Amino acid sequence: MMNKNALTEARSSYQPKLPASLCGGSPTLTAPLAHDGPADIRALFPSTFDMAPVTFGGEGSAPAVSAPLRVGVILSGGPAPGGHNVIAGLFDALKQIHPDSSVFGFLNGPDGLLKNKGVELDAATIDRFRNTGGFDIIGSGRTKLESVEDFQKALETASARNLTGLVVIGGDDSNSNASKLAEFAKSNGSTLCVVGVPKTIDGDLKGGGIETSFGFDTACKVYSSLIGNIQRDAVSARKYWHFIKLMGRSASHIALECALQTQPNITIISEEVASRSLTLRQIVDTIAETVAGRTANGEQFGTVLIPEGLIEFVPEMGSLISELNELLASHGEAFNALSSLPEKRDFVAAKLSSPSAALYRSLPDDIANQLILDRDPHGNVQVARIDTQRLLIDLVESRLKDMKSSGAFKGSFSPLPHYFGYEGRCAAPSNFDADYTYTLGFTAALLLRDRLTGYIATAGGLTNPAEQWTAGGIPLARMMNLERRHGKMVAVIKKALVELDSPTFLEFAKHRDTWATTTSYIFAGPIQYFGPSEVCDQTTCTLQLEKGA
Amino acid sequence: MMNKNALTEARSSYQPKLPASLCGGSPTLTAPLAHDGPADIRALFPSTFDMAPVTFGGEGSAPAVSAPLRVGVILSGGPAPGGHNVIAGLFDALKQIHPDSSVFGFLNGPDGLLKNKGVELDAATIDRFRNTGGFDIIGSGRTKLESVEDFQKALETASARNLTGLVVIGGDDSNSNASKLAEFAKSNGSTLCVVGVPKTIDGDLKGGGIETSFGFDTACKVYSSLIGNIQRDAVSARKYWHFIKLMGRSASHIALECALQTQPNITIISEEVASRSLTLRQIVDTIAETVAGRTANGEQFGTVLIPEGLIEFVPEMGSLISELNELLASHGEAFNALSSLPEKRDFVAAKLSSPSAALYRSLPDDIANQLILDRDPHGNVQVARIDTQRLLIDLVESRLKDMKSSGAFKGSFSPLPHYFGYEGRCAAPSNFDADYTYTLGFTAALLLRDRLTGYIATAGGLTNPAEQWTAGGIPLARMMNLERRHGKMVAVIKKALVELDSPTFLEFAKHRDTWATTTSYIFAGPIQYFGPSEVCDQTTCTLQLEKGA
């Protein structure tokens, strides 16, 4: 049970802005159906592929709904700001559609659906969670719904609970699985409608009609506020280099957005590292040269943004990690029998390919240890656990030492590591995310009303005022791609990585040399809820640049 | 040069609230002089001890000031939110007193005064920094003004710059030195007036008429906002224990205030650890038992707040650190000759007293290494650098492993370390700090107008609306105590530690058992500038409890 302070109390009465098109009866407009999907994907989704995108708010009155809707809801994967408002929007719309409609929340993610564990969400509960951060209204979880057995169990639960619809709030994987469940249900004669909602702070679930995932706006603002404070400290104390790792499992959207919001001296974009096949040494050299250059200009301080997923995008590190995963799987017993860390490191280094062994031996001991000790239940290296910010600090420090002896660096280097992640995932949603999630939840209800199974809820025109947004749905099956996973081809929604020719990256690339040599920091400041619209309602630079706004 | 976003732009026009008593001519009211100070302190401050506290805003008109005032200003030590507003308040008041008055900023702390390096602060510069965080308007520094030579140099600079007054914005040490400089100037026939302003996010410069130091309010709100977000994540993900270290060099005021604002499961208060002579083992046991108890209740998550200075307050760790400092000073050469870390640790352990050796050997390797490697320029262990949050995680993890084998703990333990410090020092000031610092700067100008040298600027009644605050000054010499430092008795302002019988600690102590077993988190949310007064203007729980508000 969370307790409320004055801010939470005042914020609870915020009424999220809804597109004007959703304020009437909102009948459905169907787009023309394109009959040109790839045959292999269409074959996997025979019942849910040949459907067209829909928009709500056409002329005329809403379709008559004679029976109440009974809708289950699941929060899946890592939390993102606004999840509670998706459920509030869903609840409010369902009550408008039919006053006896109800929402049933499955506990702790997909697991609750498989095990038929959940709670009725009544109006008092919904009210308590309006405009709050977190996923604690029903909890979340990472269990995956992917096998036929899972789908059967899901349908059994839905039937036992008399559900007419199910809303899955999740990222790319969860929505891929929602699509498969929708297909499974429809092709097996079940009337259960399944609808997805695009969630992830990482910002990598977008494209094909989805302008952004919810939570990205708030999380980036929280991180940018902290980066701004640290930069103000850097320019005040004038003696520290701050190495800041930012959450974001693989794509660098968060680092890129925060760079645009705060203008740090250096920002590493994983996708660029991979595309240019940069080595760790090259990354370190660039940082060290920037440090030396700024120091020569009397600015013995700076900031570096590092995306959490960087390591896997450095091609040589990617090879090293795959080799380690294989090696530790095949020689686990001999490895485990060794008692000391130096022995373990030597054992591993001796079995690596020669370039990987050289790289491995060049890493600081604690990182070399992390690589072989911190493994997940499948035995794989836990890349997210690697203290990339400390690794870079160690390597830059040693590079600067060399440069100092050769006279290429004069001065001192005081680095400080930071990692921002958990601070942003459960922040209370910004106005943008509060409005966007409420709209998505509201839209999900309309999709269920119109029995549009296998759709993901969307809103469009998001750089306009919320009143002008469009709202509708896109068939999930049409977002699928075939990818090889664990040796098999599977249909999944492709993660949207940072494109090096996107307006967002180009804007960053245009300024980064200036930001490196000068001190052009922006102090972003904390999220505001009550001030002027230009302060409270502005969304991300990413979205504005992508929409040419 | 910082660039502005919409928030900073909107915030720059905020007009800080000023006490009504400062809005007229504000003549001085003098309190009756108590003639009862300690003789040893009085002897050290013959010219500036026998002075009475003053208040501004008496009846009648302000004293006539015929010549403009020319005032130097110094930012000393770590930054704190509101420093720029002290200078803005000073500037505005000086211009009111005489339109030709001026402010000269010394660069990078006391060093700028010693080296006569500084800049004129004109109206355009002041305007650019109103209501912003940071100390970057003139920079700060940690050089100490303490020797007779320093004081002579300071007076030379003041005379070269034609200064009539000097304002020192700093913590306990900087204000102690400001007091000595005032005494030196007055007793040596200089007309320079020296005035202090109480700054520190640590909240340990208070008492004797100072209700709080500026910056404490904002920094605690920034940290509480982050702790709140993390707690919302804890209760959403339901699988992590977050160990959060909070800045604050020695006193635990920040941890205590954040505990009251966020209600975490465990908060360690250094002063209690010292007073109850707790061992590291006892602290670890308490945490481990709380983890086990919560896990048994189905709550496999939680939060622990750790004050940065903790280690030195654990008596056995304090002894270990002093022994290490001495040992490394006397055996430095032999120690440095050893090449490997295990050898260095063994060397040290063999020379420690038996209880310290046992404690040292019980520490995880990386902490044992930090203790002997991370030393400051004086050769002392850098206590602030010790990753106390990781140390506690390691020890709790190993304790829980033991408890698991005995059956006293069932479940898993996934800890995550955090450190919040630099995020708060340079945040833009809350309304409270913006108003309070502007008032202090304004008051400092009035002290200089009335030639009240050796005073520190104060405001009182701070839990009332700002319009009702009182403003005045207290003789710095009357705040002094004799303390032994580096073997000599010196006069210093005593750091105000957390008192275990204070209303703040008692309030915390009353609730902490409930907070440990239940989940009573408060989501504090980000600092708001534009909303309802109960959201934007409320100050700390500490101040409200201390004032019985």
Side-chain angles (χ1 to χ4, degrees):
Chain A
M1 185 74 283
M2 306 283 287
N3 293 287
K4 290 186 175 181
N5 68 351
L7 169 57
T8 316
E9 202 63 68
R11 182 68 178 160
S12 70
S13 61
Y14 175 73
Q15 179 55 48
K17 300 184 272 294
L18 207 56
S21 58
L22 296 187
C23 296
S26 308
T28 309
L29 281 172
T30 306
L33 179 60
H35 279 282
D36 56 352
D40 47 1
I41 306 275
R42 169 179 275 141
L44 291 170
F45 295 89
S47 308
T48 55
F49 192 90
D50 282 322
M51 307 191 306
V54 299
T55 315
F56 295 106
E59 300 277 315
S61 57
V65 174
S66 56
L69 300 177
R70 181 152 171 78
V71 175
V73 64
I74 294 174
L75 292 165
S76 185
H84 292 157
N85 267 22
V86 174
I87 300 178
L90 174 70
F91 182 89
D92 290 354
L94 288 173
K95 290 291 186 189
Q96 267 187 30
I97 292 168
H98 193 293
D100 296 332
S101 293
S102 57
V103 178
F104 185 81
F106 289 103
L107 294 179
N108 304 321
D111 208 45
L113 178 64
L114 294 178
K115 298 192 177 141
N116 192 2
K117 284 195 182 156
V119 289
E120 286 294 332
L121 295 174
D122 57 15
T125 306
I126 297 290
D127 284 348
R128 216 165 57 240
F129 286 90
R130 286 181 196 271
N131 307 309
T132 60
F135 272 14
D136 44 307
I137 186 169
I138 48 175
S140 184
R142 297 194 180 271
T143 304
K144 291 199 187 304
L145 284 178
E146 45 189 0
S147 68
V148 168
E149 294 70 41
D150 293 341
F151 298 150
Q152 277 163 344
K153 269 196 205 155
L155 293 188
E156 277 164 32
T157 302
S159 156
R161 294 286 177 187
N162 290 314
L163 300 184
T164 55
L166 177 71
V167 174
V168 177
I169 302 168
D172 49 344
D173 267 357
S174 305
N175 275 293
S176 300
N177 293 333
S179 175
K180 290 170 198 170
L181 176 60
E183 173 66 32
F184 182 88
K186 196 168 179 185
S187 58
N188 284 276
S190 161
T191 56
L192 181 74
C193 291
V194 183
V195 159
V197 175
K199 170 229 72 168
T200 169
I201 62 163
D202 293 358
D204 56 7
L205 174 50
K206 66 176 170 185
I210 299 176
E211 297 187 2
T212 188
S213 54
F214 80 77
F216 177 68
D217 180 87
T218 306
C220 289
K221 284 173 178 164
V222 171
Y223 303 144
S224 294
S225 164
L226 297 175
I227 295 164
N229 287 4
I230 283 180
Q231 294 194 147
R232 195 106 211 186
D233 202 272
V235 77
S236 297
R238 305 185 71 84
K239 61 180 174 184
Y240 297 118
W241 269 87
H242 297 272
F243 284 64
I244 305 170
K245 185 170 79 171
L246 295 171
M247 196 173 253
R249 187 61 189 77
S250 55
S252 300
H253 297 292
I254 289 179
L256 183 56
E257 172 64 28
C258 291
L260 293 168
Q261 286 191 30
T262 64
Q263 305 186 176
N265 301 110
I266 301 174
T267 303
I268 305 173
I269 301 297
S270 302
E271 290 85 343
E272 186 185 26
V273 168
S275 146
R276 294 174 52 198
S277 288
L278 296 180
T279 62
L280 203 51
R281 173 64 194 249
Q282 287 172 305
I283 297 169
V284 166
D285 282 355
T286 307
I287 301 175
E289 279 154 25
T290 305
V291 170
R294 288 181 62 80
T295 305
N297 288 337
E299 313 257 271
Q300 200 167 278
F301 60 86
T303 44
V304 186
L305 302 192
I306 305 158
E308 183 179 48
L310 174 64
I311 288 302
E312 282 182 305
F313 283 78
V314 180
E316 55 175 1
M317 285 295 290
S319 310
L320 169 61
I321 289 168
S322 327
E323 285 186 42
L324 284 174
N325 284 342
E326 267 180 48
L327 191 161
L328 293 172
S330 53
H331 298 81
E333 212 166 315
F335 173 84
N336 291 328
L338 299 169
S339 56
S340 85
L341 283 170
E343 283 177 296
K344 282 180 196 259
R345 291 198 302 266
D346 285 342
F347 174 86
V348 160
K351 295 202 157 34
L352 289 167
S353 71
S354 138
S356 288
L359 176 61
Y360 187 72
R361 289 191 199 278
S362 77
L363 298 175
D365 283 354
D366 49 341
I367 302 290
N369 291 341
Q370 267 187 325
L371 281 174
I372 53 177
L373 295 180
D374 257 350
R375 286 184 286 149
D376 70 14
H378 309 289
N380 293 324
V381 172
Q382 302 222 62
V383 179
R385 291 283 186 89
I386 296 174
D387 288 333
T388 321
Q389 68 281 30
R390 289 171 195 264
L391 169 65
L392 289 179
I393 284 176
D394 279 357
L395 296 174
V396 169
E397 213 156 24
S398 112
R399 183 78 193 97
L400 286 171
K401 207 178 276 181
D402 294 347
M403 289 169 68
K404 201 158 190 170
S405 38
S406 77
F409 172 58
K410 292 185 178 71
S412 71
F413 174 62
S414 299
L416 289 169
H418 306 267
Y419 171 43
F420 298 137
Y422 298 94
E423 294 80 359
R425 306 196 313 176
C426 286
S430 62
N431 279 1
F432 174 84
D433 269 329
D435 298 346
Y436 181 42
T437 49
Y438 188 80
T439 297
L440 289 173
F442 205 97
T443 304
L446 297 182
L447 291 167
L448 294 174
R449 175 197 69 182
D450 296 347
R451 308 211 44 76
L452 294 162
T453 191
Y455 279 74
I456 187 167
T458 61
L462 297 177
T463 53
N464 301 324
E467 293 72 16
Q468 299 167 25
W469 294 349
T470 58
I474 296 169
L476 278 164
R478 296 205 157 240
M479 301 177 63
M480 294 290 171
N481 288 276
L482 288 179
E483 276 184 22
R484 179 172 300 277
R485 291 204 180 171
H486 305 294
K488 288 197 303 201
M489 294 306 284
V490 286
V492 291
I493 298 172
K494 197 175 168 187
K495 260 191 208 307
L497 300 181
V498 170
E499 305 283 350
L500 303 188
D501 57 358
S502 65
T504 322
F505 183 82
L506 293 176
E507 176 71 12
F508 159 73
K510 190 163 81 187
H511 296 289
R512 61 173 153 184
D513 291 342
T514 311
W515 298 348
T517 48
T518 65
T519 298
S520 311
Y521 304 151
I522 293 177
F523 172 72
I527 292 176
Q528 296 296 304
Y529 299 115
F530 305 99
S533 178
E534 73 273 16
V535 172
C536 298
D537 296 328
Q538 237 182 139
T539 183
T540 57
C541 302
T542 301
L543 201 47
Q544 293 185 38
L545 288 162
E546 285 181 356
K547 306 295 290 180
Chain B
M1 185 75 283
M2 305 283 288
N3 293 287
K4 289 187 175 179
N5 68 351
L7 169 56
T8 316
E9 201 63 68
R11 182 69 178 159
S12 70
S13 60
Y14 175 73
Q15 179 54 47
K17 300 184 272 296
L18 207 56
S21 58
L22 296 187
C23 296
S26 308
T28 308
L29 282 171
T30 305
L33 179 60
H35 280 282
D36 57 352
D40 46 2
I41 306 276
R42 169 179 275 139
L44 291 170
F45 296 90
S47 307
T48 55
F49 192 90
D50 282 322
M51 308 191 305
V54 300
T55 316
F56 295 107
E59 299 277 314
S61 58
V65 174
S66 58
L69 300 177
R70 180 152 172 78
V71 176
V73 63
I74 293 175
L75 292 165
S76 184
H84 292 158
N85 266 22
V86 174
I87 300 179
L90 174 70
F91 182 89
D92 291 353
L94 288 173
K95 290 292 184 188
Q96 265 187 32
I97 291 167
H98 193 293
D100 296 332
S101 294
S102 58
V103 178
F104 186 82
F106 288 103
L107 293 179
N108 304 321
D111 207 45
L113 178 65
L114 294 177
K115 299 193 176 139
N116 191 4
K117 285 195 180 155
V119 288
E120 287 292 333
L121 295 174
D122 57 15
T125 305
I126 297 289
D127 284 348
R128 217 166 55 241
F129 286 89
R130 286 181 196 270
N131 306 308
T132 60
F135 272 13
D136 44 307
I137 186 171
I138 47 174
S140 184
R142 297 194 180 272
T143 303
K144 292 199 186 304
L145 284 178
E146 44 190 2
S147 68
V148 167
E149 294 71 40
D150 294 340
F151 297 151
Q152 276 162 344
K153 270 197 204 156
L155 292 188
E156 277 164 30
T157 300
S159 158
R161 293 285 177 189
N162 290 315
L163 300 184
T164 55
L166 177 71
V167 174
V168 177
I169 302 168
D172 50 345
D173 266 356
S174 305
N175 275 293
S176 300
N177 293 332
S179 175
K180 289 170 199 170
L181 176 59
E183 174 66 33
F184 182 88
K186 196 168 180 185
S187 58
N188 284 276
S190 160
T191 56
L192 182 75
C193 290
V194 183
V195 159
V197 174
K199 170 230 71 168
T200 168
I201 62 163
D202 293 358
D204 56 7
L205 172 51
K206 66 176 171 184
I210 299 176
E211 296 188 2
T212 187
S213 54
F214 79 77
F216 177 67
D217 180 86
T218 306
C220 288
K221 284 174 178 163
V222 171
Y223 304 143
S224 294
S225 163
L226 297 175
I227 296 163
N229 287 4
I230 283 179
Q231 294 194 146
R232 195 106 211 186
D233 202 90
V235 76
S236 296
R238 305 186 71 83
K239 60 180 173 186
Y240 297 118
W241 269 88
H242 297 273
F243 284 64
I244 305 170
K245 184 170 79 171
L246 294 170
M247 195 173 253
R249 188 60 189 80
S250 55
S252 300
H253 296 292
I254 289 180
L256 183 56
E257 173 63 27
C258 291
L260 293 167
Q261 285 192 31
T262 65
Q263 305 188 174
N265 302 111
I266 301 173
T267 303
I268 306 173
I269 301 297
S270 301
E271 291 85 344
E272 186 184 26
V273 168
S275 146
R276 294 174 50 199
S277 289
L278 296 180
T279 63
L280 202 51
R281 172 65 194 247
Q282 287 172 307
I283 296 169
V284 166
D285 281 356
T286 306
I287 301 175
E289 278 154 25
T290 305
V291 170
R294 289 181 61 80
T295 305
N297 288 337
E299 314 257 272
Q300 201 167 275
F301 60 87
T303 44
V304 186
L305 302 191
I306 305 158
E308 183 179 47
L310 174 64
I311 288 303
E312 282 182 305
F313 284 77
V314 180
E316 55 174 1
M317 285 295 292
S319 310
L320 169 61
I321 289 168
S322 328
E323 285 187 40
L324 284 174
N325 284 341
E326 268 181 48
L327 190 161
L328 293 172
S330 54
H331 298 81
E333 212 165 317
F335 174 82
N336 290 328
L338 298 170
S339 57
S340 85
L341 283 169
E343 282 176 297
K344 283 180 195 261
R345 290 197 304 266
D346 284 343
F347 174 86
V348 160
K351 296 201 156 36
L352 290 167
S353 71
S354 137
S356 288
L359 175 62
Y360 186 71
R361 288 191 199 278
S362 78
L363 299 175
D365 284 354
D366 49 340
I367 302 290
N369 293 341
Q370 267 188 326
L371 281 174
I372 53 177
L373 295 180
D374 257 350
R375 286 184 287 150
D376 70 14
H378 309 290
N380 293 324
V381 172
Q382 302 222 61
V383 179
R385 291 282 186 90
I386 296 174
D387 288 334
T388 322
Q389 68 280 30
R390 290 171 194 265
L391 168 66
L392 290 179
I393 283 175
D394 280 356
L395 297 173
V396 169
E397 213 155 24
S398 112
R399 183 78 192 97
L400 286 171
K401 207 178 277 183
D402 295 346
M403 288 169 68
K404 201 158 191 171
S405 37
S406 76
F409 172 59
K410 293 185 179 71
S412 70
F413 174 62
S414 299
L416 289 168
H418 305 268
Y419 171 43
F420 298 137
Y422 298 94
E423 295 80 359
R425 305 197 313 176
C426 286
S430 63
N431 280 1
F432 174 84
D433 269 327
D435 298 346
Y436 181 42
T437 49
Y438 188 80
T439 297
L440 289 173
F442 204 98
T443 304
L446 298 182
L447 290 167
L448 294 174
R449 175 196 70 183
D450 296 346
R451 308 209 47 73
L452 294 162
T453 191
Y455 278 75
I456 187 166
T458 60
L462 297 177
T463 53
N464 301 325
E467 293 73 17
Q468 299 167 26
W469 294 350
T470 57
I474 296 168
L476 277 163
R478 296 204 156 240
M479 300 176 64
M480 294 291 172
N481 288 275
L482 288 179
E483 276 184 24
R484 178 172 301 278
R485 291 207 179 168
H486 305 292
K488 290 197 302 202
M489 293 307 282
V490 286
V492 290
I493 298 172
K494 196 175 167 187
K495 260 192 207 309
L497 300 182
V498 170
E499 304 283 349
L500 303 187
D501 57 358
S502 66
T504 321
F505 183 82
L506 293 176
E507 176 71 12
F508 159 74
K510 191 164 79 186
H511 297 290
R512 62 172 152 185
D513 291 343
T514 310
W515 298 348
T517 49
T518 65
T519 297
S520 310
Y521 304 151
I522 294 178
F523 172 73
I527 292 176
Q528 297 296 304
Y529 299 116
F530 305 99
S533 177
E534 74 272 16
V535 171
C536 298
D537 296 327
Q538 237 182 137
T539 184
T540 58
C541 302
T542 301
L543 201 47
Q544 294 186 39
L545 288 162
E546 286 180 355
K547 307 295 289 181

